[in-house]
Amino acid sequence: MRTIREIKKQREWSKEERANNSIIGLVPTLGFLHKGHLSLVRKAREVSDSVVVSIFVNPTQFGPGEDYKEYPREEVRDLQLLENEEVDVAFIPSREEMYPEDYETYVAVEKFSKNYCGSSRPGHFRGVTTVVIKLLLIVQPDIAVFGEKDYQQLVIVKRMVRDLNIPIQILSSPIVRERDGLAMSSRNRYLNPEERKNATVLYDSMKEAQQLVNKGMTDVDALKKEMIKIIEGRKHPRVEYIEFVEPETLKRVKKVGVSNRILMAVHIGRTRLIDNMEIRGQVE
Ligand code: AMP
C-alpha cells in the first residue's frame, strides 16, 4: 500500500491507473477507522481494480463549538487496518493544501442540506459536499462508496453527482452495528460506560417502531411518541429529531408506506449520535 500526502502525487497515481484501464474505487473517511469503514473498503474492492481510501478530518464540515479539534485521530492504526484490507492507496492530504488561507469556493445541495442534521449543524453538508467534490476531482475514481450510516449525506452526495453530471457511480453500503445494535461510529469513543449502555436506545426505539407498524400502527406522530417514550425512559438521552421520510427525496411522511426511512439524532450526555433504519409498512 502507498501512502500519498500530496494532491499532485495522487493525481499522477490516478492518471497512471486510468491509463492502464484500471477501475478506481474511492472510500472517503475522516479516519479513526472501524468495521463500518472497512465494510465500505470491501465493497469498493469487489467492484474496482484499485482502491483508494482517503483520510481527512475535514474542517469545513465542523461548525463552531463542534468537535473538530478533539475528533479522534490514529493514523498508524488506520494505515495498518488498510494495509490488512489490501488497499492500494491511503490518501492523506494536508489541511493547508486542501484549504489554503485564501480558499473561497463551496458546493451546496441546497434543499436537502437544510433539514434534519442540517438544521442543528448549519453549513455541515456544504462542508461535506465541498470536500467530496474536491476528493472526486483529485482522485478521479470510477466509483465512490458511502455508508448508509450517514443516510442524509448519502442522498445529498448522490444528488450532487447527478446535478453536476459527475461521471462517477455512487454506491452505498449498509450500516454495520455492534452486537447490541449500536451503529459503529468514531464518536462512540466519547461515551462513558454508562452512556455506552444507554446508546442502544436509538436502535431499540427504531426496532420498536417497526414492531408497532407490523401490528398496524402507521400514523407517524403516534409512532414518534412511542419512540420518544422508550428513549426518555433511559437516563442520559435527549432527542434532537426523529423523522420518517421517503428514502430518495427525504420528504417527511405522515403515514408509513411500503418502504420509508426513519432518521434520528439523539444526544447521549455530551455525545451526539445519529442512526437510521428502513421501515416497512403493509403492501397495499
Ligand atoms: P466518517 O469517517 O464517519 O466520515 O465515515 C466515512 C464513511 O463511512 C461514510 O460514508 C460513512 O457513512 C461510513 N460509515 C461510518 N460508520 C459506518 C457504519 N457503522 N456502517 C457503515 N458505514 C459507515
Side-chain angles (χ1 to χ4, degrees), residues 28-31 34 36-37 39-40 71 145-150 153 173-176 183-186:
T29 80
L30 304 182
H34 51 67
H37 296 115
S39 73
L40 307 191
Y71 196 85
V145 187
F146 290 82
E148 287 182 359
K149 164 71 174 36
D150 300 274
Q153 166 177 291
S173 199
I175 301 177
V176 177
M184 289 193 182
S185 163
S186 309

Side-chain angles (χ1 to χ4, degrees), residues 109 158 197 202 255 277:
V109 177
K158 278 189 182 163
K197 263 191 224 155
L202 288 85
K255 252 178 162 331
M277 201 174 94

Side-chain angles (χ1 to χ4, degrees), residues 81-97:
L81 288 171
L82 296 181
E83 183 99 54
N84 297 347
E85 294 296 324
E86 299 181 0
V87 163
D88 298 273
V89 172
F91 176 49
I92 311 184
S94 70
R95 178 179 177 157
E96 292 70 29
E97 215 189 349

Side-chain angles (χ1 to χ4, degrees), residues 54-72:
S54 63
I55 298 178
F56 182 60
V57 184
N58 172 38
T60 61
Q61 72 189 67
F62 289 80
E66 289 188 357
D67 56 345
Y68 174 69
K69 278 212 178 108
E70 57 183 318
Y71 196 85

Side-chain angles (χ1 to χ4, degrees), residues 69-284:
K69 278 212 178 108
E70 57 183 318
Y71 196 85
R73 294 158 168 91
E74 252 183 53
E75 193 183 294
V76 174
R77 182 174 153 277
D78 285 351
L79 290 176
Q80 189 57 58
L81 288 171
L82 296 181
E83 183 99 54
N84 297 347
E85 294 296 324
E86 299 181 0
V87 163
D88 298 273
V89 172
F91 176 49
I92 311 184
S94 70
R95 178 179 177 157
E96 292 70 29
E97 215 189 349
M98 288 293 273
Y99 297 108
E101 258 179 41
D102 56 353
Y103 190 83
E104 279 291 343
T105 308
Y106 293 86
V107 174
V109 177
E110 302 275 337
K111 220 161 61 186
F112 286 0
S113 300
K114 292 209 168 92
N115 291 334
Y116 319 130
C117 286
S119 55
S120 65
R121 305 187 71 190
H124 167 67
F125 288 118
R126 183 179 89 139
V128 169
T129 38
T130 299
V131 82
V132 168
I133 199 166
K134 282 170 73 70
L135 291 168
L136 295 179
L137 288 166
I138 294 165
V139 177
Q140 301 203 20
D142 300 277
I143 294 156
V145 187
F146 290 82
E148 287 182 359
K149 164 71 174 36
D150 300 274
Y151 194 82
Q152 190 176 2
Q153 166 177 291
L154 171 66
V155 172
I156 287 173
V157 168
K158 278 189 182 163
R159 180 55 65 94
M160 172 180 77
V161 164
R162 191 206 76 174
D163 285 355
L164 297 180
N165 312 101
I166 303 173
I168 293 172
Q169 196 188 355
I170 302 298
L171 297 183
S172 63
S173 199
I175 301 177
V176 177
R177 298 181 180 279
E178 303 284 357
R179 271 163 181 250
D180 61 6
L182 174 66
M184 289 193 182
S185 163
S186 309
R187 289 192 169 98
N188 293 348
R189 96 114 47 153
Y190 300 150
L191 301 166
N192 70 31
E194 199 191 3
E195 290 168 345
R196 170 63 189 81
K197 263 191 224 155
N198 287 323
T200 56
V201 77
L202 288 85
Y203 185 59
D204 294 345
S205 65
M206 290 191 292
K207 268 198 323 197
E208 175 63 15
Q210 180 65 70
Q211 297 281 333
L212 292 169
V213 170
N214 294 347
K215 286 183 195 151
M217 187 189 279
T218 56
D219 179 68
V220 164
D221 285 336
L223 288 162
K224 275 201 222 175
K225 263 192 205 146
E226 293 300 323
M227 289 176 72
I228 289 169
K229 248 194 245 168
I230 293 178
I231 297 166
E232 292 183 343
R234 307 252 182 124
K235 218 169 155 192
H236 298 284
R238 176 171 69 78
V239 177
E240 183 183 303
Y241 71 81
I242 299 174
E243 301 290 355
F244 288 58
V245 302
E246 295 283 4
E248 308 288 331
T249 61
L250 300 180
K251 273 198 194 123
R252 284 189 183 90
V253 296
K254 290 193 165 141
K255 252 178 162 331
V256 175
V258 175
S259 170
N260 294 127
R261 202 95 194 174
I262 308 178
L263 307 180
M264 66 190 301
V266 173
H267 297 251
I268 308 277
R270 286 175 43 233
T271 307
R272 180 177 181 277
L273 299 177
I274 58 169
D275 204 342
N276 68 85
M277 201 174 94
E278 184 190 18
I279 183 149
R280 294 182 151 279
Q282 310 291 342
V283 181
E284 306 276 310

